[in-house]
């Protein structure tokens, strides 16, 4: 399963070069070309799924298990102080490559990478609206 216009499919086919850290039948882990921090890597399924909604559950589970093993490996190897797993779906969420991927971002004290959000507040009306819309 490939998409001819997809940059990650091209990487997986070797048409675009990449630095591969790991590979098995279903996944590759490569270094991000525009890293947030030292060692920022991407877990990418070999089949083309545009986002999390298209990912079969078994593949999703595997991607998280790989993130656990490889996230810890990166943290230990680079003496990082923390680890972010980031997974974007849709333009509004910051997705730029429409082939599912899971970011492994080692974090370092004082690395200057911004927080994803500033905490807001949850009103009683919002709480009610949320619960009603999910009912
Ligand atoms: P998104 O914003 O979709 O969650 O993340 C896409 C990521 O893919 C970005 O962090 C970007 O730096 C990375 N990326 C885009 N093109 C390439 C490429 O050609 N090679 C590699 N290694 N990473 C890429
Ligand atoms: Zn693709």
């Amino acid at each position: 399963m490939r998409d001819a216009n997809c940059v990650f499919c091209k990487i997986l086919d070797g048409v675009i070069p990449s630095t591969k850290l790991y590979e098995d039948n279903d996944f590759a882990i490569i270094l991000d070309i525009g890293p947030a921090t030292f060692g920022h890597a991407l877990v990418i399924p070999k089949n083309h799924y545009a986002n999390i909604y298209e990912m079969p559950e078994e593949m999703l589970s595997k991607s998280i298990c790989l993130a656990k093993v490889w996230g810890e490996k990166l943290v230990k190897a680079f003496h990082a102080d923390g680890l972010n797993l980031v997974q974007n779906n849709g333009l509004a969420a910051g997705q730029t490559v429409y082939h599912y991927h899971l970011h492994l971002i080692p974090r370092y004290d004082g690395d200057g990478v911004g927080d994803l959000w500033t905490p807001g507040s949850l009103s009683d009306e919002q709480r009610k609206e949320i619960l009603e819309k999910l009912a």
Side-chain angles (χ1 to χ4, degrees):
M1 279 170 68
R2 289 281 195 269
D3 178 322
N5 298 314
C6 170
V7 65
F8 286 173
C9 284
K10 287 178 187 165
I11 284 174
L12 293 164
D13 282 340
V15 176
I16 294 177
S18 69
T19 304
K20 209 172 277 176
L21 305 181
Y22 170 83
E23 183 173 20
D24 63 25
N25 285 338
D26 299 320
F27 283 88
I29 301 180
I30 66 168
L31 288 181
D32 194 297
I33 205 172
T37 64
F38 185 86
H40 180 170
L42 302 168
V43 178
I44 306 176
K46 289 194 169 173
N47 282 335
H48 180 91
Y49 302 109
N51 48 43
I52 195 170
Y53 319 117
E54 291 189 3
M55 278 283 276
E57 288 184 7
E58 192 190 332
M59 289 288 108
L60 261 184
S61 305
K62 191 165 179 193
S63 73
I64 287 288
C65 292
L66 282 172
K68 170 188 157 77
V69 171
W70 276 86
E72 189 174 16
K73 202 173 164 86
L74 299 178
V75 164
K76 284 189 174 156
F78 309 140
H79 304 289
D81 302 301
L83 173 75
N84 284 131
L85 302 185
V86 177
Q87 201 281 307
N88 299 324
N89 298 282
L91 188 62
Q95 186 174 13
T96 58
V97 176
Y98 289 83
H99 178 134
Y100 172 94
H101 52 283
L102 189 48
H103 295 260
L104 309 180
I105 307 178
R107 296 299 303 271
Y108 306 90
D109 290 341
D111 62 21
V113 175
D115 295 329
L116 184 56
W117 70 87
T118 306
S121 57
L122 178 65
S123 68
D124 287 342
E125 290 74 26
Q126 287 168 333
R127 195 193 316 274
K128 192 164 167 276
E129 183 183 347
I130 288 165
L131 292 174
E132 277 171 7
K133 286 184 169 166
L134 289 174

